[in-house]
Structure formats: C-alpha cells, structure tokens
C-alpha cells in the first residue's frame, strides 16, 4: 500500500537545504514549478519548470546559468557532460575526458575565387577549383581541411641528342584553412633545347617553374640534357635536377653519355596516394654511351626515367592517376629521350617520345609535355625539334556539406 503527501508549499527549515524523496515527484497546479537549493529523488521529477540555484529547466529550454573560470575550477569530481557558460571566456564550455573545452557552432566552409569558377558537376558533394594560371581563393566563412593537388611545370626536352624532360613534383594531401585569401601560382613548362645550334655545343633545355598554393610548393621538373658538341670527342650532357630529374643526353662513340639527374621528390608514388613533404618525384635516365645517339628518359611522379638501352631512347618515367576532380586523370609523367632508330615512349601525362632517326624522317619532333599535367617534354636530335614541358596545375576541392 502506497502513501501520498499533498501540500501547498514546502519551505526549507533552519539548517535544512536538501529534501530527499524515495519515489517520483510530481508538481502540479497553476504554476507547476519546483524551486529548491537541492532536490534528490530516486524516481522521476515532473514539473512545469525546475529551478535549482541559477539553473532552470522548463518545457522549451534549459538555462545553465553563469559562472567564471574560478567558479568552474572550484568543482570537485566534475561529471563528464557538464555544460556551463563561462563569463571569463564568454563562451559555452563542456567537460569531457580531455577536460574543459569551448563548445561552438561549426560554420560550413565557404570558398570563392575571383579567378576561376567552382565546378561540382563531376564530383558529387564537392566544390572543385582547377587553376591553370595564377589566381587565388578566398575563404569567406568557416574553417576546415581542403584537398589539394599541386604540380610544378614539366622540364623541356633536350634539343640535340636530347634526354626527356622530368615531370614537375606532384603533391597531394589535405591542408587546414581558415578565413582569408590564399594566392596560387601555376608553374610554366620548361623550354626545349635548341636544335642543331651554331656555334656548338647545343644548349640544354630549361627546367619547369614551381607551382604554389599557400604553404605548398611543388618544384618544376628538370630539363633534358643535350649533346655536348660536334666532332670526335663529345660526351653527352647531364640532365637537370628538378621535381623529377631530366634525362641525360647521348654521346659520340666511345664517350660518356649524360647522366640522368635525381628528382627532389620522394620515389615510390602510387596512384591516388597522399604525398610526402617533398612530393612525388623520380630520377631521370642516362643517355646511351655508344654510337646509338640516344638520350635517357625524364623521371615521372610514379617512376624513374629509363636509361637509353641502345638505338632506342629511354622511356619517360610513369605518371600517377588522381580523381580529385571526379574524373581519373594522369599527371606528371616524364618525357621520352631521343632515339637513333626509335624514340623513347612516354607515360601518363608526360611528353611523348623524342625525335626519330637522325636523318630519316627529317624534321621529326619530340612531343610537348601534356598541358596542365606537369609532364616532361620529349627529346630530339639534329634538325629535329624537341618538346616543351607541360605547364603545371593547382586543384583544390572541399566538401560542400
């Protein structure tokens, strides 16, 4: 048999600050309010509103009152989940396993660009900015991580018994950003080496230019080496160092060929992988040291350029595939070296092989590095024309929700 006490009012007696109930508490009436310094109940508490100290609970809201840092820190054994408004920090704070933290509403990251239009059509739920020239983005609200793909310009192909150009360094990852303006530089491709120069020796190709987004800089690819001169004692020139190294030039019979140069990026890149601090970049290959007049391949983001195996030029180093835009695209492949009989092939994103045989067909050209992938240019020989390096690119993507 249960008992029931019905009263109009409970007032604290002298020395009494806590009223304890062993069952449910139900407060009814016109006000339906319960106010106390401390209430302990083993059952449910039902009321139109409950006020304990400066904390209020009613049917539509919770008022947690205020305190300051001193008052907050005076609590002993604070329970996880405790919420306060701290007048010292002017912020809501919550207590969890890591201690007190400020609780705030997270604003959705909003980015605009005065130089390019965001295109979300190919990647659901993301805005994508692709820069093929200089520009900027402006974070107008919120903060968070953005994905980036930053590739330097590819190196030019060697212009006379030339090695292939190296690809620009490839950097992919995420970067935290907050409101402000971030400048972007897209590196141009390197210039091809001069064909059949007079006076000798031939000039080397030039390296690609760095691309930059915020704190991320990707080095341009190294230019391909050329022939050192004309006559009986002409070694090949070395390629140039860069994000990926340029391939070495070929040589006269009995003389040393040009060496491929190391890339400043790290080797071991795989499709879609997050890059290390230096980005992905590999070494260029060496030219052939005999009478084949063949140049080495330029390095790519996914592999080294090939050494010229004989009459055939060295193959360009492999590029890497990324889907940051929503479509799979190959980037940063190395250019192929010139060959006496067969040009060295190039791979994803790179310039294609160098020029053909030295006499037949005349006027053969090394292909340019693929535009806006950072690919290296192909090498060429004699009157043939080498390829320029492909311009780099900067792509930024972030979730719209």
């Amino acid at each position: 048999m249960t008992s029931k006490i019905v009263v109009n009012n409970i007032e604290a007696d002298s020395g009494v600050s806590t009223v304890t109930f062993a069952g449910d508490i139900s407060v009814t009436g016109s006000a339906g309010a319960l106010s106390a310094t401390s209430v302990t109940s083993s059952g449910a508490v039902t009321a139109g509103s409950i006020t304990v100290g400066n904390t209020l609970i009613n049917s539509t809201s919770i008022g947690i009152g205020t305190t300051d840092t001193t008052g907050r820190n005076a609590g002993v054994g604070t329970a996880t989940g405790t919420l306060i408004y701290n007048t010292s920090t002017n912020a809501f704070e919550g207590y969890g396993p890591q201690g007190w933290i400020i609780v705030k509403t997270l604003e959705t990251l909003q980015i605009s660009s005065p130089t390019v239009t965001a295109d979300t059509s190919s990647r659901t739920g993301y805005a994508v900015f692709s820069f093929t020239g200089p520009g900027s983005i402006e974070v107008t609200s919120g903060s968070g991580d953005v994905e980036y793909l930053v590739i330097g310009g590819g190196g030019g192909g060697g212009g006379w018994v030339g090695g292939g150009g190296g690809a620009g360094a490839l950097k992919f990852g995420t970067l935290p950003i907050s409101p402000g303006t971030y400048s972007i530089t897209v590196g141009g491709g390197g210039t091809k080496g001069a064909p059949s120069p007079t006076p000798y020796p031939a000039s080397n190709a030039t390296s690609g230019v760095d691309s930059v987004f915020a704190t991320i800089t990707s080095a341009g690819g190294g230019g391909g080496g050329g022939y050192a001169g004309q006559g009986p004692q002409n070694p090949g020139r070395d390629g140039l160092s860069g994000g990926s190294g340029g391939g070495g030039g070929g040589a006269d019979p009995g003389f040393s060929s040009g060496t491929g140069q190391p890339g400043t990026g790290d080797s071991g890149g795989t499709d879609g992988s997050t890059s290390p601090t230096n980005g992905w970049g590999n070494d260029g290959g060496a030219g052939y040291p005999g009478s084949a007049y063949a140049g080495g391949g330029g390095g790519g983001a996914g592999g080294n350029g090939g050494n010229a195996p004989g009459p055939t030029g060295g193959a360009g180093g492999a590029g890497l595939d990324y889907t940051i835009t929503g479509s799979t695209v190959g980037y940063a492949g190395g250019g192929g070296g010139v060959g006496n009989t067969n040009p060295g092939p190039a791979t994803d994103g790179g310039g294609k092989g160098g020029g053909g045989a030295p006499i037949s067909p005349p006027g053969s050209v090394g292909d340019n590095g693929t535009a806006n992938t950072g690919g290296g240019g192909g090498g060429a020989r004699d009157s043939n024309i080498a390829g320029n390096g492909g311009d780099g690119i900067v792509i930024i993507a972030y979730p719209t929700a």
Side-chain angles (χ1 to χ4, degrees):
M1 180 177 181
T2 60
S3 300
K4 180 169 67 173
I5 300 176
V6 180
V7 297
N8 291 327
N9 188 41
I10 299 177
E11 296 181 356
D13 198 357
S14 177
V16 178
S17 60
T18 301
V19 179
T20 301
F21 296 87
D24 295 349
I25 304 172
S26 180
V27 181
T28 59
S30 59
L34 173 62
S35 179
T37 302
S38 175
V39 176
T40 302
S41 173
S42 61
V45 178
T46 304
S49 66
I50 302 173
T51 302
V52 179
N54 60 359
T55 301
L56 169 69
I57 303 174
N58 60 35
S59 60
T60 59
S61 63
I62 299 175
I64 61 175
T66 62
T67 186
D68 56 18
T69 299
T70 300
R72 181 199 73 180
N73 293 343
V76 178
T78 304
T80 297
T82 300
L83 188 67
I84 65 169
Y85 185 83
N86 189 335
T87 56
S88 299
T89 60
N90 290 321
F92 288 98
E93 296 181 357
Y95 188 82
Q98 70 275 52
W100 289 102
I101 60 172
I102 292 177
V103 180
K104 61 182 179 181
T105 300
L106 297 177
E107 295 181 271
T108 300
L109 185 62
Q110 296 290 334
I111 299 177
S112 63
S113 174
T115 47
V116 298
T117 301
D119 177 13
T120 60
S121 60
S122 59
R123 187 175 180 188
T124 303
Y126 278 77
V128 180
F129 294 89
S130 295
F131 291 86
T132 57
S136 64
I137 61 169
E138 182 180 0
V139 180
T140 56
S141 68
S143 60
D145 291 345
V146 296
E147 289 182 11
Y148 63 82
L149 179 65
V150 180
I151 304 173
W160 202 36
V161 193
L170 184 153
K171 294 187 178 182
F172 173 77
T174 59
L175 182 72
I177 59 175
S178 55
T181 300
Y182 299 81
S183 297
I184 288 164
T185 300
V186 175
T191 304
K192 60 195 174 188
S196 293
T198 302
Y200 300 101
S203 62
N204 264 16
T206 64
S207 297
V209 180
D210 299 352
S211 292
V212 182
F213 162 56
T215 59
I216 308 301
T217 299
S218 291
Y227 193 46
Q230 185 180 42
Q233 297 182 351
N234 292 295
R237 283 182 167 176
D238 296 339
L240 301 179
S241 182
S244 282
D252 274 333
F255 291 90
S256 61
S257 63
T259 61
Q261 293 300 293
T264 59
D266 289 2
S267 60
T270 55
D271 292 341
S273 57
T274 298
S275 63
T277 301
N278 293 331
W280 297 124
N282 289 274
D283 302 345
Y288 189 73
S291 61
Y293 300 108
N304 292 335
N307 297 331
T312 298
L320 295 175
D321 290 340
Y322 284 82
T323 56
I324 185 172
T325 63
S327 300
T328 300
V329 178
Y331 298 95
V338 68
N340 194 353
T341 56
N342 294 295
T347 53
D348 323 24
K352 293 190 178 173
I359 297 175
S360 178
S364 297
V365 299
D367 290 335
N368 295 329
T370 306
N372 301 122
T373 68
R381 171 178 165 79
D382 289 353
S383 61
N384 302 336
I385 301 172
N388 293 318
D391 292 345
I393 194 167
V394 174
I395 302 174
I396 297 166
Y398 71 99
T400 54

